[in-house]
Structure formats: C-alpha cells, structure tokens
Amino acid sequence: MNDIFAPAQLGPITLRNRVIKAATFEGRTPDALVTEELIDFHREVAAGGVGMTTVAYCAVAPGGRTDRHQIWMRPEAVAGLRKLTDAVHAEGAAASAQIGHAGPVANAASNRVPALAPSRMFNPLGMRFTKTPTVAEIADTVAAHADAARLAEQAGFDAVEIHLGHNYLASAFLSPLLNRREDAYGGSLLNRARMAREIACAVKDAVGDRIAITAKINMEDGQAGGLTVPQSLQVAAWLEADGALDALELTAGSSLLNPMMLFHGTPPRRSFAKTLPNPARLGFRLVGKSFLKEYPYQEAYLLERARHFRRALSMPLILLGGITNLDTMRLARTEGFEFVAMGRALLREPNLLRRIRTDESTRSACVHCNECMPTIYSGTRCLYRPTLSREPIQLTLG
C-alpha cells in the first residue's frame, strides 16, 4: 500500500499520516515539569512531518517514575503540557501522552519512595527491595491512570498511550516470573492480566471517545519465565474484547531484565557504565554483557512476532522496531499494520519524514549504535547530532 502519507483514523482522531514518533524518555524535565527544551524537542519532530509525537514519560504517580526528574501527572503540570501540545498542533501534528507506572523499573532511591512490584524483589535501580501493593493500592494505581488521562485531555493531548510493556508495573503483573501473587491479581494469566485490563477500562471511562487511547504491550519479555508470545496474544485478545483501546503498539523486552530486545543493534555497554556511580559501575562491568545482550539489527526486527498478533486481532496495530525508510513502512502496511512508530531514526534526523516525502529513496542516517541510550538522563539525543549544553542529571542507583 502507498498510503503512508495519507490521513488516517485513530479512534476518534484523524492523523495527517500513519507515522508516529515513538515514546522515548526525553531527559528534558529536571524539575518534573515541561521545559522549553522539551517543547522544542517535540516541535522539531512535529515540524519534521510525523502524524503524531508521543511525550514520554508522564508517570501517574511520583513513585511511578524511573527517575524523580520525570514528569508526573498533576494539576501543576497541565499549563506546561498545554504549551507543548499547542506547539505540536501549530506544526500540524497530533500529540500523545504516554502514561503509566514504572513499578519495579522505578528508581526508589531517586524517587524517595519504594518501588512497586507485584511480588517482593530486589530492585537493582534503587538498590533496595520493592513494595508489594495491596489490592486497595492496586485500585488506587488504576484510578491514577484515569486521573492522568483526564489531565492529558485538559492539557490538549489528542491521545494517551498506556504503558503496558517493558516490565513496568502492569507488564510486571503479566509476567509469571515477576508475579508470584496468590490473590485475584496473581496465578492464572486471567488474573495476571486483570490490572492491565482494569487500567485500560478506567482510562476509557475517564476520557470516553474524546481522545484516542492506545497501549504499548510486550509481545514477550525476552527472559526465561517471563511473558511469552502465546500468553501475550491472549492478553491482547482480552484487551480487544474489552473495547477500551483504539490501537495496540507492539513491543518486546524488559527495561528491568533485557532492554536490548527492544533496541537491537550494538549494546552501548561502556557508555552505559560511565553513567553509573560506584559501586554500581563496577557491578555493571561484571554483568553488563548479560544485561545488555546483543541482537543483530535488521529492518522491521519485531515484524515476525507481530505477525502473530496481526493474524489473531482485528483492532488497529502499530508496528515498532527498525522502521527507518519508506520501503519498510510500505511493508508494514502490506502486512496489515495500520501505523508505524519510529524512535532512534528521528533522534538522528527529526526531519526524516519530510526528506522521505521529497525523495522516496531516502535512507536514515541512524547507524543503530545505541549510544543514545545512555543519554536519557542528560537530554536524550543522537551523539552524532548534539543539541544540549545543560549539565547532566546524575543517575542515582543507591
């Protein structure tokens, strides 16, 4: 299909094309509020031609952040977020807010509150054990997602993306490795999926059809004992049947246990180690190879897994992973995916979409070195395209 750059419907909204800027933590909110740097980041991507850009990460609670400098959704954040969405809209693009709770991926030391996980575990980010939420606290977290969606609507967002992947809290509940509960939220897959489904339905109840609702979900965790493709297919089928979502974005891997499954390409082990304080840096040198595994890069590297979901589901799907040129976008459409999401390629060249429209043979300059990964706490960027001079935020692990 050759309709990549034609307007496309996403739930109640119309995007100018089928390309979405994927959520990548921007590292531009030192006070947990919108900055001019963050606005400029998304304005530039919007001016570059995407149909929608995704602001990441908008935590639903202070303890749901992977670092205390991230935005968390509260009334004080709305004015800045409104300024951001106005800037994106002025460039002709839509804006989505990624909402979620990082759970065991949250940095308890940085946030100064315990990280949550479905079952007690040691959190290597905060160097302390997690807190196991009660059923009442789970209900509070579900309600917090609904509140965050309402605030996103007030701030002018056209959509919200619920984070159900990467072993963030809802994803950790899905994992049989991380969820060893014996109540209504543990044990069977139906129970482990309860929180994700309750979140999606609560968000739908909060914003109705006024904005689009998507969710990012793991197809698999990439860790022995974690969520598998067949299990994820069943969860996706339940989410589709619930009718709360307008699209699913398909991802893979675990920010907690196997982040390179999402990225593919060269693992930036040495650069990542430099961001860590001692003794964490020494520990990372010992386990870095097993944590940052190597997955060879190829275009559309998540497509093979995603095909299972396309065959099983009728709802719109967003293909992520190795989308860098028009041929791959058209392949995604031929395979039945309604939208594609781009991340690193737009860090390297925010105007890549406009260049592709001018010359269909354009190829991304991104070399998949993944050196952008360690920059997330000093302003996420491609090192071949430095843009920031601000002092980096110290990543505190203990």
Side-chain angles (χ1 to χ4, degrees), residues 202-251:
V203 169
K204 181 68 171 179
D205 288 344
V207 300
D209 293 323
R210 297 185 298 277
I211 63 176
I213 306 170
T214 70
K216 175 175 283 187
I217 187 170
N218 268 18
M219 295 181 285
E220 65 172 304
D221 292 345
Q223 188 72 15
L227 188 73
T228 64
V229 169
Q231 292 169 345
S232 181
L233 276 169
Q234 178 60 74
V235 175
W238 286 329
L239 289 167
E240 179 177 74
D242 291 340
L245 301 176
D246 296 305
L248 276 177
E249 182 174 305
L250 302 173
T251 187

Side-chain angles (χ1 to χ4, degrees), residues 217-295:
I217 187 170
N218 268 18
M219 295 181 285
E220 65 172 304
D221 292 345
Q223 188 72 15
L227 188 73
T228 64
V229 169
Q231 292 169 345
S232 181
L233 276 169
Q234 178 60 74
V235 175
W238 286 329
L239 289 167
E240 179 177 74
D242 291 340
L245 301 176
D246 296 305
L248 276 177
E249 182 174 305
L250 302 173
T251 187
S254 167
S255 298
L256 188 69
L257 301 169
N258 188 1
M260 287 305 299
M261 176 174 260
L262 168 62
F263 291 96
H264 285 54
T266 306
R269 298 182 188 117
R270 183 170 298 181
S271 299
F272 191 85
K274 290 179 180 178
T275 69
L276 304 176
N278 285 319
R281 183 179 302 181
L282 176 60
F284 180 81
R285 287 175 178 165
L286 298 175
V287 302
K289 185 168 285 190
S290 61
F291 176 63
L292 293 181
K293 302 175 183 177
E294 189 154 1
Y295 292 90

Side-chain angles (χ1 to χ4, degrees), residues 271 371-372 375 381-386:
S271 299
E371 292 294 333
C372 54
T375 72
R381 64 199 183 277
C382 173
L383 294 187
Y384 293 103
R385 188 180 181 267

Side-chain angles (χ1 to χ4, degrees), residues 28 37 41 44 347-348 350 378-390:
R28 288 163 168 79
E37 285 181 321
F41 178 92
E44 187 175 33
L347 285 179
R348 179 68 179 89
S378 59
T380 306
R381 64 199 183 277
C382 173
L383 294 187
Y384 293 103
R385 188 180 181 267
T387 58
L388 298 183
S389 58
R390 174 167 59 78

Side-chain angles (χ1 to χ4, degrees), residues 104-109 115 121-130 255-257 276 280 287 291 395-398:
V105 182
N107 190 324
M121 59 173 285
F122 185 74
N123 176 2
L125 294 172
M127 299 298 287
R128 58 198 68 184
F129 282 93
T130 60
S255 298
L256 188 69
L257 301 169
L276 304 176
V287 302
F291 176 63
L395 173 58
T396 304
L397 297 188

Side-chain angles (χ1 to χ4, degrees), residues 87-148:
V88 169
H89 293 153
E91 299 294 347
S96 177
Q98 185 189 63
I99 61 174
H101 192 295
V105 182
N107 190 324
S110 177
N111 293 333
R112 300 176 184 131
V113 293
L116 299 181
S119 304
R120 192 169 188 263
M121 59 173 285
F122 185 74
N123 176 2
L125 294 172
M127 299 298 287
R128 58 198 68 184
F129 282 93
T130 60
K131 181 181 186 296
T132 303
T134 65
V135 170
E137 288 169 329
I138 292 171
D140 288 344
T141 303
V142 171
H145 282 77
D147 291 341

